[in-house]
């Protein structure tokens, strides 16, 4: 499905996708004279294209190009990206005409899936979106649009494709594993690219210190020296136990700056005693030296900060772009190619789900699922609690979701299922979709290779037929619309 994938990549490569004069639009597409003031305010952006009664502005195109570059998918040309945005407009308009809508429940399910794929809780997703510089409402609007167009594609393609069992049988005669051989594409490495590398180094020139000083008088006896050493070690012990340097300096230091917490200020290296410079040379900012002896007594220093010069060294290097990743077989394809039977253990499962969402926190969902677990512990039937309270489409069936095989469900959900015996009910289990109570009804083990091969054959046939069907439908949609591409200078009117 090269074309289908290409359209989807350009139009929806990143979820954070992120519209000159009114008389001109009115001439091109009658009925646009009643644009709102909000739309009129967008005219200053400049028009990239007119699609029926809607416009795509230069600013929107620039934003899309920028988002593709940020996501590492900036290989498409400006004309290609604009064409994908035109197709996107056409599809949105057709979706509205057909009444294709995305409910809040569907949107929350997609958010849970995105969170799962990124290995983060749903409530953290909003933080990550904000960190990327995009508003949450804009993110949800773009996501809803993407899901709507996915539904439209599925409706268009599924209504026009029929893969029969005979088709699958014929395919398997030619390809017994159900998998088409991977085509080896010759790869010619591109020439190395020149890249400027900036190396930065820090040359310290000054340091700020804090000081604890235990004085030893001239010609002091060994007992006096030992008492001073003991006092310095006591001070060091307090520092290691977490007492602030300033507090220890006030208590122990004999230096004049003790009342100020031992602050010596910042000086150039040449203005410090050479002993201080040498002792602190390998001490990181914010760290403390050990106790060290000088002719006048014992000292402890803390390095507050260093200041100096940042030097930059620029050089040009040749960088070889990495080769494209080699096609990898999926676990199903590996199983289909395996010699001999593929033994798979499936579990017949039912569950109760309380979803998390932007308005239902993880804590609230957990408290709810815990209250439902208490109902089960008090003797209420699992199927009754599931029908009344589960927030899953399996609720009308008493929570039954049927037989599941490894690799087909949320990893945490599967892990919990694997640890349950038939008839056993789990404690609350956290997945990317929310909190579950799970019961394993039964287990079975069998050779699933024939089923896997038929499934892969059916999927391959579907994809082969979907590509031309989608392209034909999209071309028909274009031919039935008014499109004024200002970049290419082409205008196509309705047939």
């Amino acid at each position: 499905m090269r074309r289908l994938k290409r359209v989807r990549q350009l139009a929806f490569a990143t979820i954070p996708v992120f519209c000159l004069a009114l008389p001109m639009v009115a001439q091109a597409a009658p009925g646009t004279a009643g644009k709102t003031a909000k739309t009129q305010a967008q005219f200053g952006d400049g028009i990239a294209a007119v699609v029926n009664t809607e416009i795509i502005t230069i600013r929107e195109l620039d934003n899309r190009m920028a988002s593709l570059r940020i996501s590492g998918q900036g290989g498409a040309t400006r004309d290609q990206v604009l064409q994908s945005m035109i197709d996107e407009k056409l599809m949105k308009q057709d979706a509205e005409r057909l009444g294709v809508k995305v409910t809040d429940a569907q949107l929350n399910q997609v958010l849970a899936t995105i969170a799962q794929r990124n290995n983060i809780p749903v409530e953290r997703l909003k933080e990550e979106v904000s960190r990327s510089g995009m508003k949450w409402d804009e993110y949800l609007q773009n996501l809803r649009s993407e899901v709507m167009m996915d539904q439209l594609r599925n409706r268009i393609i599924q209504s026009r494709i029929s893969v029969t069992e005979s088709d699958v049988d014929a395919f398997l005669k030619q390809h017994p594993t159900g998998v088409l051989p991977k085509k080896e594409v010759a790869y010619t490495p591109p020439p190395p690219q020149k890249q400027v590398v900036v190396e930065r180094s820090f040359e310290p020139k000054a340091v700020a210190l804090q000081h604890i000083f235990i004085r030893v008088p001239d010609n002091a006896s060994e007992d006096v020296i030992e008492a001073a050493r003991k006092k310095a070690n006591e001070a060091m012990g307090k520092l290691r136990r977490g007492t602030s340097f300033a507090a220890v300096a006030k208590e122990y230091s004999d230096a004049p700056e003790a009342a100020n917490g031992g602050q010596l200020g910042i000086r150039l290296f040449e203005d410090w005693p050479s002993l201080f410079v040498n002792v602190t040379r390998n001490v990181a900012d914010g760290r403390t030296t050990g106790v060290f002896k000088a002719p006048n007594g014992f000292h402890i220093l803390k390095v507050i900060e260093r200041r100096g010069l940042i030097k930059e060294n620029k050089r040009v290097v040749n960088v070889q772009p990495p080769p494209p990743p080699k096609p990898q077989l999926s676990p199903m394809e590996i199983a289909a190619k395996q010699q001999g039977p593929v033994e798979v253990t499936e579990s017949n499962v039912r569950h109760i789900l309380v979803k998390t969402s932007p308005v239902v926190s993880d804590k609230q969902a957990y408290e709810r699922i815990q209250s439902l677990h208490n109902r089960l512990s008090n003797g209420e039937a699992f199927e009754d609690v599931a029908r009344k309270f589960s927030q899953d489409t399996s609720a009308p069936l008493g929570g039954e979701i049927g037989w599941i095989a490894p690799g087909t469900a949320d990893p945490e959900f599967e892990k919990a299922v694997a640890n349950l015996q038939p008839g056993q009910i789990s404690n609350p289990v956290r997945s990317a979709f929310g909190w579950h109570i799970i019961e394993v009804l039964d287990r079975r083990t069998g050779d699933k290779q024939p089923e896997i091969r038929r499934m892969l054959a059916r999927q391959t046939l579907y994809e082969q037929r979907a590509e031309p069907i989608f392209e034909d439908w999209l071309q028909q949609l274009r031919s039935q619309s008014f499109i004024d591409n200002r970049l290419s200078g082409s205008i196509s009117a309705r047939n």
Side-chain angles (χ1 to χ4, degrees), residues 220-393:
S221 66
E222 286 297 326
D223 290 342
V224 172
I225 294 173
E226 192 57 36
R229 188 194 308 275
K230 183 179 179 181
K231 183 178 179 182
N233 288 336
E234 286 179 3
M236 193 72 227
K238 285 198 173 185
L239 293 174
R240 289 172 175 165
R241 289 192 293 272
T243 307
S244 72
F245 197 99
V248 176
K250 290 176 182 178
E251 181 179 356
Y252 285 88
S253 183
D254 297 324
E257 67 275 0
N260 193 31
Q263 294 284 354
L264 293 177
I266 187 167
R267 305 180 198 172
L268 295 172
F269 285 125
E270 54 264 32
D271 294 333
W272 288 110
S274 59
L275 177 62
F276 283 15
V277 175
N278 293 333
V279 169
T280 59
R281 190 181 307 279
N282 297 319
V283 178
D285 289 10
R287 305 302 295 269
T288 303
T289 68
V291 175
F292 62 95
K293 189 176 184 305
N296 61 345
F298 295 91
H299 302 262
I300 304 171
L301 291 173
K302 180 177 180 180
V303 178
I304 305 302
E305 65 170 324
R306 290 180 175 87
R307 296 180 188 175
L309 302 176
I310 297 178
K311 294 184 176 180
E312 288 191 354
N313 179 34
K314 296 182 180 180
R315 57 191 179 93
V316 178
V317 298
N318 291 325
V319 178
Q320 181 66 53
K326 293 183 178 180
Q328 298 292 322
L329 294 178
S330 70
M332 288 295 185
E333 290 173 326
I334 294 173
K337 287 177 171 289
Q338 178 178 312
Q339 296 295 324
V342 178
E343 297 290 336
V344 177
T345 298
E346 298 176 305
S347 301
N348 191 6
V349 175
R350 62 182 177 183
H351 77 142
I352 299 167
L353 170 64
V354 175
K355 294 181 180 180
T356 55
S357 72
V359 295
V360 178
S361 69
D362 187 72
K363 180 181 179 182
Q364 291 171 323
Y366 174 77
E367 291 173 350
R368 182 61 173 162
I369 201 71
Q370 188 63 56
S371 69
L372 299 180
H373 193 271
N374 293 339
R375 285 173 173 263
L376 298 176
S377 300
N378 292 330
E380 286 194 46
F382 194 104
E383 57 269 25
D384 291 342
V385 176
R387 287 192 183 97
K388 292 178 184 177
F389 304 107
S390 182
Q391 297 172 351
D392 186 61
T393 54

Side-chain angles (χ1 to χ4, degrees), residues 67-82:
S67 68
L68 290 172
R69 285 193 298 271
I70 291 171
S71 65
Q73 300 175 3
T77 67
R78 193 174 179 83
D79 288 338
Q80 288 174 325
V81 174
L82 179 58

